[in-house]
Amino acid sequence: MINYTITQAAELLHKKQISAVELTKEYLQNIANTENRVHAFTQLNEKQALDSAQHADQKLHNGSANKLTGIPIAIKDIMNTVDWRTTCSSKMLENYQSVYDATCISKLKERGMVIVGKTNMDEFAMGSSTETSAFFKTFNPWNLEYVPGGSSGGSAACIAANQAICSLGTDTGGSIRQPASFCSVTGFKPTYGRVSRYGVVAFASSLDQVGTFTKDAHDAAILLEALCGADSKDSTSAKQAVPAFSQDLRDGVRGLRIGVPKEYFAQGINPQVESLVRKAVQELQNHGAIVKEISLPNTKYALAVYYIIAPSEASANLARFDGVKYGLRADGNDMWQVIEKTRGQGFGDEVLRRIMIGTYALSAGYYDAWYLKAQKVRTLIKAEFTDAFKEVDIICAPTAPVLPFKSGEKIDDPLAMYLADICTIPINIAGLPGMSIPCGFANGLPVGLQIIGRPFDEQTILNTAHTYQKLTSFHKEQPKL
Amino acid sequence: MQLSKEDVLRVAKLARLDLDEQEIERFQSQLSNILHHFSVLSEVDTAGIAPTSQPFDTKNIMRKDLTASSLPTAQILLNAPDLQDDSFKVKAVME
């Protein structure tokens, strides 16, 4: 089975050793060989993919190509993509045709990337295992009895299974980093506001961010360069200049101050996860990094803060699904009954639960005690990170406190599922950039190292990850499928 | 933290969700359990702390008020569950 990085494939394409059509056909073949076991995609469209590949070949011939031209990519099914449906893995949007391209999609199309498919996810990005998809479950390529993580589980699994070279996901509380960890791929969530969210279906608008799944940190740098930047169509997008991440990529961590927060190794962490993550930090220390234990005592409140704020924002964002202008419409006797039945039938259990929590937290008499309180504790959590980054340049922690779990194991216990995100959630609360890279295996299941940076300092994270990946080869290991 | 059945029905009404008896029962116990866990926040001293509604201090973003093209009507109506002429068709709002 072929297995290229963006860099490797781009070199072959530019040297004309392979055409974009041939490369796309190779990946479509990989998909054909594995998809009946992995179930990463909600939609595949060979014709669409080959048409884009042909267009990429023209660019490669007429000299207008770049590093991303002709590279096969998969897209989380939450981003509006013309010629494809945008389903959010929900019955509510099962037949929704994208009317325009999300800004992140236009950027990929302009560069001549080849979209091979749209990937399965937890319904409306609410979940940590890709089991809340209304269509089907996605399975972990490393062991098909296990979940791939979530919510961007399809986007992570398809990279582990070599069904595409890279993919896009979204991360509201860990939905890129946690599945990247579970599937042993490189996942990057940029700083809040770095990538435009125009055309990306909103979940929790003060937390959502678009990011990448790749084979390594170098590929992440290349893809992020293309995605980041201000967008007049998204007023929350950041105006900060976007560095040339891949050009500026440095190998070496001498003198880098790494903070290791003790709360992320607290009670409940799997000892094998702890040991592999500490070993990874040790590796960086052996090569000149200065490692320091730090304390972020408000970490213990992050889960509660997140699961009040995110559902509150979701309850407002998902109010638009009323069956009037698009999406599912149920039958009813009058307009209100149509709306109530549409929403009751169109949303799955986890989405209903979150709308209920959010509506409760925002409702009269409860707002101050729940929503406003959570927003105040958010201030404290954010301030704690600001203080920590006065003493360290980067923070290293586990991506998830647990190993990938078995399909079905946690689906009936929402609170147990929420705990899988306990190490990634605080980073969204503070709006920081974060990354997960493979750092080993326990019982044949992947473990991820999380690297967290200062706002808009994606470069230091990428440099740290790149250094680690030069020293280790966990990111090159392949599942036997 | 124990939600009553009436609490669940009140919230479902506010959120315009039609739930069946089983869902109401299930959510009553699950939401009670979740909220019980989150009530841990009440122990945090937040006196004098300002709330954070977004990670960074983005202020209002202004632009010139210029006319620009918008999506064609056919595209806007592409996903409509029901149509009449160039309009979305719904059940009567008022009697």
Side-chain angles (χ1 to χ4, degrees):
Chain A
M1 196 185 279
I2 57 155
N3 166 24
Y4 295 127
T5 62
I6 294 175
T7 313
Q8 288 165 344
E11 192 179 334
L12 295 174
L13 288 165
H14 285 262
K15 285 186 176 162
K16 310 274 188 289
Q17 285 169 352
I18 193 169
S19 71
V21 168
E22 286 163 349
L23 183 68
T24 300
K25 281 183 174 165
E26 293 270 13
Y27 277 90
L28 293 174
Q29 188 57 51
N30 282 4
I31 292 171
N33 293 342
T34 56
E35 181 58 5
N36 64 347
R37 278 160 291 154
V38 178
H39 302 284
F41 292 95
T42 56
Q43 301 168 65
L44 288 162
N45 187 335
E46 239 172 72
K47 188 186 173 298
Q48 200 58 251
L50 290 171
D51 283 353
S52 312
Q54 232 159 29
H55 179 71
D57 276 330
Q58 283 166 14
K59 281 172 94 81
L60 283 154
H61 279 103
N62 69 21
S64 65
N66 59 79
K67 278 186 267 191
L68 291 173
T69 307
I71 302 293
I73 187 167
I75 307 295
K76 187 177 185 179
D77 206 359
I78 196 170
M79 296 160 188
N80 278 281
T81 311
V82 169
D83 298 324
W84 300 76
R85 285 174 291 131
T86 299
T87 71
C88 289
S89 290
S90 177
K91 276 193 270 180
M92 189 65 91
L93 291 175
E94 190 166 5
N95 300 309
Y96 183 82
Q97 297 288 336
S98 314
V99 175
Y100 61 93
D101 278 326
T103 297
C104 53
I105 300 298
S106 334
K107 289 187 172 197
L108 304 182
K109 286 184 176 174
E110 277 162 29
R111 283 160 180 82
M113 294 195 84
V114 175
I115 296 170
V116 295
K118 296 196 76 182
T119 60
N120 198 25
M121 52 186 277
D122 282 299
E123 185 180 5
F124 283 103
M126 297 178 193
S128 310
S129 65
T130 316
E131 293 171 290
T132 74
S133 165
F135 307 145
F136 47 81
K137 295 176 184 180
T138 297
F139 297 99
N140 192 318
W142 290 91
N143 185 329
L144 296 167
E145 288 178 18
Y146 287 75
V147 301
S151 67
S152 313
S155 284
C158 76
I159 302 308
N162 285 315
Q163 296 176 320
I165 295 181
C166 53
S167 63
L168 293 190
T170 55
D171 190 317
T172 303
S175 285
I176 289 173
R177 290 158 290 155
Q178 186 256 27
S181 172
F182 279 18
C183 292
S184 198
V185 299
T186 297
F188 203 108
K189 178 206 105 69
T191 310
Y192 179 81
R194 258 299 193 202
V195 181
S196 166
R197 299 178 298 179
Y198 175 73
V200 180
V201 179
F203 162 15
S205 302
S206 80
L207 302 157
D208 295 342
Q209 186 51 229
V210 174
T212 60
F213 292 92
T214 54
K215 290 282 176 188
D216 62 24
H218 190 244
D219 279 5
I222 295 170
L223 197 51
L224 286 168
E225 277 166 4
L227 290 169
C228 294
D231 177 12
S232 59
K233 290 173 174 162
D234 174 4
S235 53
T236 63
S237 65
K239 290 203 158 47
Q240 273 79 354
V242 181
F245 295 126
S246 65
Q247 215 180 312
D248 296 349
L249 202 60
R250 259 194 17 238
D251 179 12
V253 289
R254 189 154 300 282
L256 182 79
R257 299 172 301 168
I258 299 178
V260 179
K262 62 178 183 194
E263 289 79 7
Y264 286 65
F265 298 87
Q267 211 182 351
I269 186 170
N270 176 304
Q272 290 170 295
V273 171
E274 167 158 14
S275 146
L276 288 168
V277 169
R278 290 207 185 272
K279 209 172 146 197
V281 175
Q282 182 67 51
E283 187 77 39
L284 293 167
Q285 189 170 21
N286 293 345
H287 287 81
I290 302 155
V291 176
K292 186 180 169 178
E293 183 176 274
I294 60 170
S295 177
L296 300 165
N298 285 317
T299 301
K300 62 173 182 257
Y301 302 117
L303 196 74
V305 168
Y306 177 85
Y307 277 101
I308 293 166
I309 290 178
S312 296
E313 293 183 13
S315 73
N317 275 327
L318 272 61
R320 74 192 62 181
F321 299 104
D322 54 11
V324 172
K325 298 190 290 297
Y326 49 79
L328 182 79
R329 179 187 289 186
D331 273 338
N333 298 326
D334 58 34
M335 192 195 69
W336 289 116
Q337 201 182 51
V338 168
I339 292 176
E340 283 167 7
K341 283 186 180 296
T342 296
R343 292 166 63 75
Q345 293 167 20
F347 293 135
D349 263 15
E350 184 58 26
V351 177
L352 290 172
R353 253 190 307 271
R354 299 216 195 172
I355 292 175
M356 299 278 286
I357 295 172
T359 304
Y360 177 81
L362 292 173
S363 65
Y366 298 90
Y367 180 96
D368 283 5
W370 293 97
Y371 183 64
L372 191 63
K373 183 77 182 181
Q375 285 190 311
K376 288 178 179 174
V377 182
R378 183 177 190 177
T379 305
L380 298 174
I381 292 172
K382 194 177 162 239
E384 219 166 66
F385 277 107
T386 307
D387 285 345
F389 278 119
K390 286 174 187 158
E391 293 177 44
V392 299
D393 304 309
I394 211 111
I395 293 173
C396 285
T399 305
V402 292
L403 291 171
F405 43 90
K406 277 198 172 165
S407 197
E409 192 181 315
K410 295 185 199 276
I411 195 69
D412 295 322
D413 186 353
L415 209 49
M417 186 75 87
Y418 297 170
L419 287 165
D421 296 335
I422 199 150
C423 299
T424 45
I425 274 173
I427 285 70
N428 299 73
I429 289 175
L432 303 171
M435 184 176 195
S436 179
I437 57 172
C439 72
F441 297 83
N443 316 332
L445 296 168
V447 173
L449 168 72
Q450 186 176 201
I451 310 173
I452 302 148
R454 296 189 180 100
F456 301 102
D457 188 15
E458 284 85 1
Q459 191 72 59
T460 305
I461 300 176
L462 289 165
N463 291 348
T464 309
H466 182 59
T467 306
Y468 182 75
Q469 291 182 335
K470 288 255 179 181
L471 297 168
T472 58
S473 57
F474 299 119
H475 63 293
K476 290 182 182 161
E477 298 219 13
Q478 295 296 307
K480 290 180 192 72
L481 260 177
Chain B
M1 192 69 225
Q2 187 57 48
L3 291 185
S4 65
K5 187 178 173 184
E6 287 64 41
D7 287 329
V8 176
L9 290 171
R10 179 185 70 94
V11 173
K13 185 77 193 165
L14 284 171
R16 301 274 175 208
L17 300 171
D18 178 51
L19 304 179
D20 61 33
E21 275 303 317
Q22 280 182 329
E23 286 171 321
I24 292 165
E25 207 174 295
R26 195 165 66 240
F27 288 151
Q28 189 185 340
S29 93
Q30 287 177 340
L31 299 182
S32 297
N33 186 27
I34 291 166
L35 289 168
H36 171 73
H37 190 86
F38 296 168
S39 58
V40 65
L41 290 187
S42 61
E43 72 184 47
V44 187
D45 181 6
T46 50
I49 304 293
T52 294
S53 57
Q54 53 156 339
F56 306 115
D57 300 327
T58 312
K59 298 279 184 289
N60 289 337
I61 308 289
M62 310 300 274
R63 63 168 171 79
K64 290 219 161 62
D65 187 15
L66 301 171
T67 47
S69 61
S70 54
L71 286 170
T73 311
Q75 291 295 96
I76 299 288
L77 299 174
L78 184 68
N79 288 286
D82 199 3
L83 279 177
Q84 187 171 322
D85 304 321
D86 274 351
S87 303
F88 298 103
K89 192 175 173 186
V90 292
K91 298 253 173 178
V93 179
M94 287 178 289
E95 294 301 317

